[in-house]
Amino acid sequence: EELNVSLREASCRVFSNSAGSYSANVGLAIENGGWEDEGQLQDQFLTRKGFAFNADKPGMMEQQADLFKSALKTVDVTFQNLDSSEISITDVSHYYDSDPTKVVQGLRDDKKKPMSMMADTTTANAQVRSLSETVRLDARTKLLNPKFYEGMLSTGYEGVREIQKRLRNTMGWSATAGEVDNFVFEDANGVFIEDVEMQQRLLDTNPNAFRDMVTTFLEANGRGYWETSEENIERLQELYAEVEDRIEGI
């Protein structure tokens, strides 16, 4: 009655993109830095994903934004499935692109953030972990793991871009779920920025990706996802200017 829809429409619980469309484009916005605040990302998610499956009209997707919001505002738990050992939650952006954690929080009357869970079905011994635990595990096995980043660096130009991509995707989880511990950014800064030798390797191998890495650290701090010392921020700001000069040939 509240939404002036039929009982059959009100019972709808399956929503996605319009026919022929894919993703919420949240990942795209975060990748290129073209977003003002989290409200913009959440509006994108609701607009892009608010199309309902209608059993009475197979193959047709009807825009039901209000119905979608009504369903989300009662959610207590968000859940995703990780089904590939080759593609982790920071290898690609589509995992956090589909994450509605902060969307639900914004819609709930009590503004309480729902519990966020993720199932790891990459082995026969499937496990369900909290999203924050999954992000920590992913950071320790990929971004902060010497075997991983040294392996990436050994491949040259593209390897540096892969490291930067994982840092950016980690920040994506901060934006959509707020489930990235401060130590992840702090330790990453220690590995890739504070180590002068590592700095130089990254800069020499792929200056553009290194600039993007520095930008990501500064953005994570500026958006409130990473608390760190003024010394670290000043170092990053100086590095950005140096890398810009390097790229511009000054």
Side-chain angles (χ1 to χ4, degrees), residues 32-92:
N32 63 32
W35 54 292
E36 292 294 325
D37 54 30
E38 291 177 1
Q40 177 186 334
L41 301 180
Q42 292 161 23
D43 287 343
Q44 276 187 216
F45 182 91
L46 291 167
T47 300
R48 299 270 299 175
K49 294 292 184 180
F51 290 79
F53 283 88
N54 187 334
D56 296 325
K57 301 175 182 178
M60 294 183 65
M61 303 289 291
E62 297 182 336
Q63 189 168 33
Q64 294 279 11
D66 290 339
L67 192 59
F68 187 38
K69 292 176 184 178
S70 178
L72 286 175
K73 69 185 298 184
T74 63
V75 168
D76 293 316
V77 180
T78 66
F79 180 85
Q80 286 199 64
N81 186 48
L82 183 64
D83 58 5
S84 171
S85 58
E86 296 182 358
I87 303 176
S88 77
I89 61 170
T90 59
D91 286 330
V92 292

Side-chain angles (χ1 to χ4, degrees), residues 214-228:
V214 172
T215 300
T216 301
F217 279 118
L218 289 170
E219 185 177 349
N221 173 258
R223 293 189 186 276
Y225 303 142
W226 174 40
E227 294 181 6
T228 192

Side-chain angles (χ1 to χ4, degrees), residues 130-141 181 183-184:
S130 67
L131 176 56
S132 59
E133 183 182 0
T134 305
V135 172
R136 288 194 294 272
L137 180 63
D138 187 83
R140 287 174 173 139
T141 55
D181 292 321
F183 86 83
V184 174

Side-chain angles (χ1 to χ4, degrees), residues 24-244:
N25 282 349
V26 169
L28 183 62
I30 289 175
E31 286 168 13
N32 63 32
W35 54 292
E36 292 294 325
D37 54 30
E38 291 177 1
Q40 177 186 334
L41 301 180
Q42 292 161 23
D43 287 343
Q44 276 187 216
F45 182 91
L46 291 167
T47 300
R48 299 270 299 175
K49 294 292 184 180
F51 290 79
F53 283 88
N54 187 334
D56 296 325
K57 301 175 182 178
M60 294 183 65
M61 303 289 291
E62 297 182 336
Q63 189 168 33
Q64 294 279 11
D66 290 339
L67 192 59
F68 187 38
K69 292 176 184 178
S70 178
L72 286 175
K73 69 185 298 184
T74 63
V75 168
D76 293 316
V77 180
T78 66
F79 180 85
Q80 286 199 64
N81 186 48
L82 183 64
D83 58 5
S84 171
S85 58
E86 296 182 358
I87 303 176
S88 77
I89 61 170
T90 59
D91 286 330
V92 292
S93 63
H94 82 253
Y95 282 112
Y96 71 78
D97 183 276
S98 301
D99 177 69
T101 303
K102 286 188 177 180
V103 175
V104 170
Q105 182 181 17
L107 291 172
R108 285 178 59 114
D109 293 333
D110 60 6
K111 303 305 177 186
K112 180 181 178 181
K113 188 163 72 170
M115 183 183 300
S116 301
M117 307 300 292
M118 185 161 284
D120 182 351
T121 58
T122 57
T123 67
N125 182 29
Q127 297 185 54
V128 177
R129 302 184 180 95
S130 67
L131 176 56
S132 59
E133 183 182 0
T134 305
V135 172
R136 288 194 294 272
L137 180 63
D138 187 83
R140 287 174 173 139
T141 55
K142 292 286 185 74
L143 183 64
L144 303 177
N145 183 354
K147 289 186 177 180
F148 171 77
Y149 61 72
E150 288 295 346
M152 289 292 102
L153 283 169
S154 69
T155 67
Y157 186 92
E158 181 62 17
V160 179
R161 194 188 71 82
E162 286 293 317
I163 296 170
Q164 151 56 19
K165 183 177 72 174
R166 278 160 183 78
L167 179 65
R168 173 63 62 167
N169 286 340
T170 298
M171 192 187 73
W173 284 109
S174 293
T176 63
E179 296 290 346
V180 182
D181 292 321
N182 199 70
F183 86 83
V184 174
F185 293 111
E186 194 71 15
D187 287 3
N189 180 74
V191 170
F192 302 113
I193 303 299
E194 290 183 4
D195 185 328
V196 177
E197 183 180 342
M198 175 63 78
Q199 257 188 52
Q200 198 60 47
R201 290 173 67 190
L202 295 167
L203 177 59
D204 291 343
T205 306
N206 188 335
N208 289 289
F210 183 57
R211 176 182 58 185
D212 292 344
M213 182 179 291
V214 172
T215 300
T216 301
F217 279 118
L218 289 170
E219 185 177 349
N221 173 258
R223 293 189 186 276
Y225 303 142
W226 174 40
E227 294 181 6
T228 192
S229 66
E230 285 298 320
E231 179 184 357
N232 281 340
I233 297 305
E234 289 173 4
R235 181 190 297 114
L236 286 162
Q237 291 170 338
E238 291 170 1
L239 263 178
Y240 183 85
E242 292 174 12
V243 179
E244 275 283 282

